[in-house]
Amino acid sequence: MARVAVVGAGAMGLAAAYHALKLGHQVTVFEGDRVAGGMAAHFDFDGLSIERFYHFICKADRATFDLMAELGISDKLIWRDTSMGYYVDGRHYRWGDPLALLAFPKLGLLDKLRYGLHMFLSTRRRDWSALEHVNARDWFVKWHGRRAYEVLWRRLFDLKFFEYADDISAAWIWTRIKRVGTSRRSVFQEQLGCIDGGSEVLIEALVGAVEGRGGKVRLGARVSQITSEAGRVTGLVVDGERLAFDAVISTVPTPFVSALVPGLSDAAKARYDAIRNIGVVCVLLKLAKPVTQHFWLNVNDAGIDIPGIVEFSNLRKLPDTVVYVPYYMPQTHPKFTRSNEAFVAEAYGYLRKLNPALQPQDLKASQVGRLRYAQPVCPPGFLAKLPKVQTEIAGLQIADTCFYYPEDRGISESVRYGQLMARAVTEPAVWEAEGR
Ligand SMILES: Cc1cc2nc3c(=O)[nH]c(=O)nc-3n(C[C@H](O)[C@H](O)[C@H](O)COP(=O)(O)OP(=O)(O)OC[C@H]3O[C@@H](n4cnc5c(N)ncnc54)[C@H](O)[C@@H]3O)c2cc1C
């Protein structure tokens, strides 16, 4: 069997390594960071081990459930009744079920019926081909009308995608609506999952399973080059050392690919370089009091420049209130380089607006996580822009979170792709079946 190198020890890389070992390959994972987990990695937050970036699980996340079952950690999966709120122009509203929609005063009855019907049909839809060339804004305006788009969506898009806000694929946003919209106990009750102990439990179980099967996970090992000769991968370079492999699976974000793989043609590099990503500055706050009773709160308020907050302790039971305040933005945005202190001060100021009962002394701890490439931007027609996972270099597969478009980035899809990449080492037809 093959000597397989996996670049990246996030969910995709570790799942690829685990499944490649099961298929009998000899596997080494190279991770540039000092911890495994990638976007799902934990850190020490004032004595609490927690994800740098919030993670919830939906009922559609089958690949995660299957993997957890295989790893013997299904009992760590916890489901909770969760709720959503909407803060619009200085007031809180309930959101996320038909009664909340009917009671929402910012829209007329017809707009509400159109919105409700659209959301319902989106959770039932299976085929996304008709949405592939449709712009998300046009799709929403067509279904709900302009007023509902302005009230419910425009600011969310603007504050997440900035200059790309009007160039987002309807197919991509549809999968998000469907994934969350079907994670319910009943039409009136949303239900989300989390892992008891956090995503780290899954990451550690994967690392353990990889090492238990004889694989190696090398942390702090940044790959500087993936090498090839005469159109076939030969291995990689790490810490100045050339290592030989028969197959390489890269799971690093696409913006890194063209520099990492000099053997790719200019045309292939241009395809990776054309995929845009936005970054995130994610403020994490520990508080003495809750902000709301909701897991998530969407915000549409001229004085608050974020699209929402995630009150994580309303999902995973924690000793204190823990809130994530994500600032998504392109790296070119002037705010991106602001200091952590400036982000914390602003974010806590917003929370105090959302809940005036919060006092300065209620802020117990804060941390800021930053990622330069946190969210791929998927415009209409994105499928045709995606490179093939099996590259033009034999033995080299490359994917990141945008490759499973129209699905949004998520642990479950990364895990599923990791498994497919492992199989494709000897079975390239896997990608034909997947349409990639
Ligand atoms: C703010 C935020 C919120 C999220 N919320 C959710 C959620 O609620 N639910 C959910 O399911 N998913 C969520 N996600 C997405 C989820 O975290 C990702 O889809 C998943 O973790 C991606 O795993 P991956 O292995 O594909 O990529 P990554 O985690 O990006 O892994 C790639 C790895 O490659 C490493 N690397 C890069 N370059 C090199 C190199 N040259 N050499 C060696 N290693 C290298 C990186 O350090 C990284 O560890 C969220 C993500 C973010 C950012």
Side-chain angles (χ1 to χ4, degrees), residues 7-13 30-32 37-40 53-56 179 221-223 251-253 256 328 371 374 401 404 409-411 414:
V7 189
M12 192 188 290
F30 297 89
E31 168 55 54
M39 294 188 204
F53 309 104
Y54 54 91
H55 282 83
F56 60 87
R179 176 170 177 257
R222 183 157 295 277
V223 173
T251 67
V252 310
F256 295 132
Y328 288 95
L371 266 187
T401 59
Y404 38 76
R409 43 148 222 206
I411 289 182
S414 278

